[in-house]
Amino acid sequence: MNKIIALVLFLILPFISTAQTVCTLESREKLEEMLSKLEQKDLENRTSNELVIEIGKLFLETPYVEKTLELPGSEKLVINLTGLDCTTFLETVVTMTRLTQEGKFTFEAFEKELEMLRYRDGINSGYSSRLHYFSDWIYENEQKRILKDVTKEVGGSPYGNTPSFMSENPKFYAQLNNSSNLVQIKASEALIKGRSYFYIPKADIKKLEKNIQSGDIIAITTSMNNLDIVHTGFAIEKNGRMHLLHASSKNMKVEISEKPLSEYLAGNKSQSGIMVARLR
């Protein structure tokens, strides 16, 4: 249902479309207004993590809408600030954080930075160049020196990461009707399987959360053998405990989790632990 809503919104709302970018006028206006406010603030001495929290909170109560990137036709860089899922929320906040640090507050700068973050090698060269698996997203953006995977150093254990869900279930992805896209997705899955990953099992999160910083990227791992990450967000300190600042599919909005991170995962059998990354 949310996928249908997202597609309808893009069809009925005025939008800006170029060869590579799709953005509703409402989203562009919201983005430019937020960038203008950030430009006027004195944020020069803020750390990356402090900026993540400040910018992330600007999106509180924004509606949760999934599948906004899954538009028909050739792959577009979708910019949508009016409806966010967990990944697009995270990408939007990271992009705005980096632009604030660089003193760049234009739509064009946002467009370029988001493409750098979302796609392999920072270039939209089609559907399969998008970093669909979030563990791949972390790895590739570490190679770009945008972030650092700190899971191992904060106490993580080896994580057997062998995602194959997309190639095993092409019926769920319209673009995988294209055999070339399917071949390239399988190649990406093979790359992921060949790497070493770490995670913090959910039973260990409470004792290790002292090593996690407010503003760190949190990627929730799964017990499903053919998936890597099932949810993302940011660590945020609240009453001395780490909570999750995220776009919630349960409550259908961007929010701060009511429960601390360890308790948040404890209630979900399919969630096995977390990976942690930190902006450079």
Side-chain angles (χ1 to χ4, degrees):
M1 181 62 71
N2 285 333
K3 181 177 180 180
I4 295 172
I5 292 171
L7 289 172
V8 169
L9 285 173
F10 268 93
L11 289 171
I12 66 174
L13 289 174
F15 65 91
I16 299 161
S17 178
T18 67
Q20 292 290 325
T21 303
V22 169
C23 178
T24 66
L25 292 177
E26 184 180 1
S27 283
R28 178 158 185 161
E29 288 171 357
K30 182 174 181 178
L31 172 59
E32 291 181 332
E33 179 183 357
M34 292 177 78
L35 290 174
S36 178
K37 287 180 179 178
L38 289 171
E39 185 176 17
Q40 294 169 31
K41 289 187 175 184
D42 182 13
L43 300 171
E44 187 175 347
N45 296 320
R46 301 289 180 89
T47 66
S48 296
N49 280 35
E50 288 171 341
L51 286 172
V52 160
I53 296 302
E54 178 149 355
I55 293 169
K57 284 181 175 179
L58 297 177
F59 289 95
L60 288 172
E61 303 298 322
T62 300
Y64 177 95
V65 180
E66 65 177 7
K67 303 292 186 182
T68 58
L69 306 187
E70 306 306 322
L71 301 182
S74 61
E75 177 74 8
K76 303 287 187 182
L77 178 74
V78 176
I79 299 173
N80 185 353
L81 274 67
T82 59
L84 299 163
D85 64 22
C86 63
T87 302
T88 57
F89 166 62
L90 187 143
E91 288 183 333
T92 299
V93 172
V94 170
T95 298
M96 294 181 76
T97 295
R98 286 174 54 78
L99 292 183
T100 300
Q101 290 178 311
E102 296 168 4
K104 299 177 180 178
F105 299 98
T106 66
F107 177 86
E108 291 74 20
F110 183 92
E111 187 178 28
K112 182 178 180 181
E113 190 66 38
L114 181 61
E115 181 177 7
M116 171 63 71
L117 195 67
R118 184 174 287 170
Y119 293 94
R120 194 175 308 282
D121 301 320
I123 300 170
N124 174 9
S125 56
Y127 177 81
S128 59
S129 69
R130 197 195 319 157
L131 298 168
H132 296 276
Y133 289 106
F134 199 77
S135 60
D136 196 24
W137 187 99
I138 291 174
Y139 175 86
E140 289 292 329
N141 283 305
E142 184 168 35
Q143 302 311 298
K144 299 169 194 169
R145 298 191 62 77
I146 291 173
L147 54 80
K148 182 181 180 183
D149 184 344
V150 297
T151 312
K152 184 179 181 180
E153 69 183 62
V154 299
S157 306
Y159 179 60
N161 194 21
T162 58
S164 56
F165 185 87
M166 291 184 70
S167 64
E168 290 174 356
N169 297 278
K171 60 184 179 292
F172 296 141
Y173 305 91
Q175 302 288 9
L176 294 186
N177 289 327
N178 181 318
S179 59
S180 176
N181 283 341
L182 183 57
V183 168
Q184 291 178 67
I185 289 297
K186 287 181 178 179
S188 296
E189 291 170 347
L191 287 174
I192 296 169
K193 291 174 186 177
R195 301 177 190 141
S196 295
Y197 285 92
F198 292 82
Y199 83 125
I200 300 174
K202 61 182 178 182
D204 296 339
I205 292 174
K206 187 172 183 179
K207 70 179 180 181
L208 294 175
E209 69 177 313
K210 64 181 182 295
N211 301 328
I212 299 172
Q213 297 179 13
S214 192
D216 282 351
I217 294 168
I218 300 297
I220 298 178
T221 59
T222 178
S223 56
M224 298 172 63
N225 291 332
N226 62 354
L227 266 180
D228 58 345
I229 303 298
V230 291
H231 193 48
T232 63
F234 299 102
I236 182 168
E237 188 174 356
K238 179 182 174 184
N239 299 324
R241 297 293 308 280
M242 282 301 170
H243 290 246
L244 191 67
L245 172 59
H246 65 137
S248 168
S249 59
K250 179 181 179 181
N251 295 325
M252 300 301 293
K253 63 182 180 179
V254 175
E255 64 173 14
I256 298 171
S257 65
E258 181 180 351
K259 296 179 179 179
L261 188 57
S262 58
E263 284 86 336
Y264 177 89
L265 269 76
N268 192 315
K269 291 182 179 179
S270 68
Q271 296 178 351
S272 62
I274 59 172
M275 293 182 187
V276 185
R278 189 169 297 154
L279 293 184
R280 291 186 182 272

